[in-house]
Amino acid sequence: MGLIWSLIVGAIIGAIAGAITNRGAAMGWISNIVAGLIGAWIGQGLLGTWGPSLAGMALIPSIIGAIILVLIVSLAVGRTSKK
């Protein structure tokens, strides 16, 4: 049951990051889950585990990490598609 909660929270974090960066329309649910889970790992690694926590993920650092990830990936994809 813990894995399901992690996937749900990861999807929500990824969707929030996509909405904040205005790049969420191009992302599907799988991308949102991946962005949320990897973003949580990045955010908690850089910022720690402060703030409210859900499914073992500190929400505020996780959202910040997911925003960073979405911006980096969108910049990388944007540069490669223009060539």
Side-chain angles (χ1 to χ4, degrees):
M1 193 68 172
L3 176 64
I4 294 171
W5 278 115
S6 295
L7 294 176
I8 291 170
V9 173
I12 293 168
I13 290 170
I16 290 170
I20 289 173
T21 60
N22 289 326
R23 289 168 171 81
M27 294 172 45
W29 281 104
I30 301 294
S31 297
N32 281 336
I33 292 170
V34 171
L37 294 175
I38 295 174
W41 180 74
I42 291 170
Q44 291 181 48
L46 293 174
L47 303 172
T49 57
W50 53 274
S53 181
L54 188 60
M57 293 180 252
L59 296 179
I60 296 171
S62 297
I63 292 170
I64 293 170
I67 290 169
I68 292 169
L69 178 68
V70 168
L71 289 174
I72 290 172
V73 169
S74 65
L75 286 174
V77 170
R79 290 179 195 250
T80 59
S81 66
K82 290 181 183 178
K83 289 184 178 180

